[in-house]
Amino acid sequence: MATNIAKLKSTKGAPPAAEAAPDVIAEDTRDASEPTVALQVRVPKSVFEGFSEQAGREFGFSHGAKKKFFLKIWEEYKAQNM
Amino acid sequence: MTYIIGMVSQKGGVGKSTLARMMAREFVTGGLTTKIADLDTQQQTCTHWAGRRAEGGVTPELQVQSFATVKTALAEAPRFDALILDGKPNASDQTAEIAAAADLVVIPTGQTVDDLHPGVVLAHALRKKGVSPEKIAFAMFKTTGSERENAAARQYLTEAGYLVLDGEVGVSTAYGSASDAGKAITETSFRTLNERASKLAQSVIDKMAELQERQVA
């Protein structure tokens, strides 16, 4: 009968190597599943038109462009100030 | 100077808030003014617990406040000797912000690979964000009575390149009951359990002192 040395071995296996491990912070997509709420503001018409035009240029003149543009600005603001 | 400790994890329910509350209790008992910044505005685990503590008249009184951002929590830091940042579960930008701001980052983990693996992956991700591995420490939570399992879990984390704090918090109904009553895990009705938890708290303090000494040197 072969000697059983299993009891001397780690039961956990090897931990993931740093280089091979996924970057779970960069790849975090869970925020996308957050519930959304309406953000309504009243601004001068010229501001609205300028904002809409820039949003369209950056994200296409389609539904959701202003939202994407706002979120982009918000992320940039957070990166610089928070 | 304010000591800042961050409690982070990739999984929920591993012991972040439990650890935050214990450390707050130990700091305050030792004479340090302390605040827990509860950064999980959806769960507010520590905030609700503080409510139970106040209702039950448990002393010492502990300060817990909810914050939406790490930045606003850090603005409170100068008013206290110690600020404990209790983060949301799941790795996110907030996790990286907590780790960047903290003097010591503690990742609580259970002893199964289901808990160990995501903890190590999170620690690796924090390193990629520039967080020094020296200020990352793992705390063993929900351990069973198996010395072999405990040793294997510690070996797994050590092999991954991280410090594992001394002491551990085992699975116990008494810890849960204490939490329900607004008490920390060093405030149960059982001296042995309190002492075990206290060993972990002491290890956190020792590690913070060591990091501070290195900064001074």
Side-chain angles (χ1 to χ4, degrees):
Chain A
M1 192 177 88
T3 308
N4 183 358
I5 61 165
K7 285 185 177 177
L8 297 179
K9 292 183 177 175
S10 169
T11 53
K12 305 294 183 190
E19 311 75 50
D23 188 340
V24 286
I25 294 172
E27 293 169 11
D28 175 39
T29 55
R30 274 173 280 217
D31 283 351
S33 63
E34 264 190 284
T36 56
V37 291
L39 173 67
Q40 292 177 306
V41 291
R42 293 195 74 82
V43 295
K45 194 179 176 198
S46 59
V47 172
F48 175 82
E49 288 171 350
F51 188 88
S52 299
E53 187 174 333
Q54 190 60 33
R57 282 188 190 146
E58 295 212 18
F59 296 100
F61 290 90
S62 59
H63 181 70
K66 285 196 284 292
K67 174 185 168 181
K68 287 176 186 166
F69 185 45
F70 173 80
L71 290 174
K72 180 193 168 190
I73 293 170
W74 173 237
E75 290 303 323
E76 286 175 1
Y77 175 83
K78 282 199 294 182
Q80 288 174 16
N81 299 287
M82 298 173 75
Chain B
M1 179 196 165
T2 306
Y3 294 105
I4 301 176
I5 309 181
M7 310 298 182
V8 301
S9 73
Q10 169 73 334
K11 290 185 72 176
V14 287
K16 281 187 309 297
S17 298
T18 304
L19 189 57
R21 297 176 316 211
M22 173 179 74
M23 292 314 303
R25 191 266 180 180
E26 297 310 301
F27 282 147
V28 170
T29 303
L32 298 183
T33 55
T34 304
K35 175 171 265 191
I36 298 176
D38 188 345
L39 288 155
D40 189 345
T41 49
Q42 286 190 329
Q43 303 269 4
Q44 297 192 311
T45 311
C46 281
T47 309
H48 293 314
W49 172 83
R52 297 198 297 277
R53 187 175 181 89
E55 279 174 20
V58 183
T59 55
E61 204 172 289
L62 299 180
Q63 291 200 45
V64 180
Q65 188 176 347
S66 285
F67 292 93
T69 68
V70 176
K71 188 187 175 190
T72 52
L74 291 175
E76 289 283 299
R79 295 177 48 222
F80 296 91
D81 298 319
L83 179 68
I84 300 170
L85 303 172
D86 184 23
K88 292 177 189 171
N90 307 333
S92 65
D93 288 339
Q94 186 204 69
T95 317
E97 287 173 36
I98 290 172
D103 300 306
L104 176 66
V105 182
V106 183
I107 305 176
T109 179
Q111 64 187 15
T112 67
V113 177
D114 284 347
D115 286 346
L116 295 165
H117 182 272
V120 168
V121 168
L122 172 60
H124 287 339
L126 291 175
R127 285 171 68 175
K128 284 174 186 164
K129 289 276 186 187
V131 176
S132 166
E134 288 184 353
K135 72 173 191 179
I136 299 174
F138 280 81
M140 298 301 303
F141 261 74
K142 296 179 183 173
T143 54
T144 60
S146 167
E147 271 306 310
R148 184 165 172 255
E149 279 294 292
N150 196 3
R154 286 175 177 273
Q155 185 187 343
Y156 182 98
L157 296 168
T158 306
E159 276 180 23
Y162 299 104
L163 173 87
V164 189
L165 296 164
D166 290 336
E168 66 242 358
V169 176
V171 175
S172 167
T173 307
Y175 285 136
S177 303
S179 172
D180 289 349
K183 294 180 179 176
I185 54 174
T186 42
E187 296 174 318
T188 74
S189 309
F190 301 94
R191 190 169 55 89
T192 314
L193 289 178
N194 296 347
E195 284 174 356
R196 277 188 206 151
S198 183
K199 189 176 175 189
L200 178 60
Q202 187 62 53
S203 184
V204 172
I205 290 163
D206 292 346
K207 181 63 183 170
M208 293 204 69
E210 180 194 322
L211 289 169
Q212 191 196 18
E213 278 171 22
R214 278 192 212 171
Q215 274 184 344
V216 172

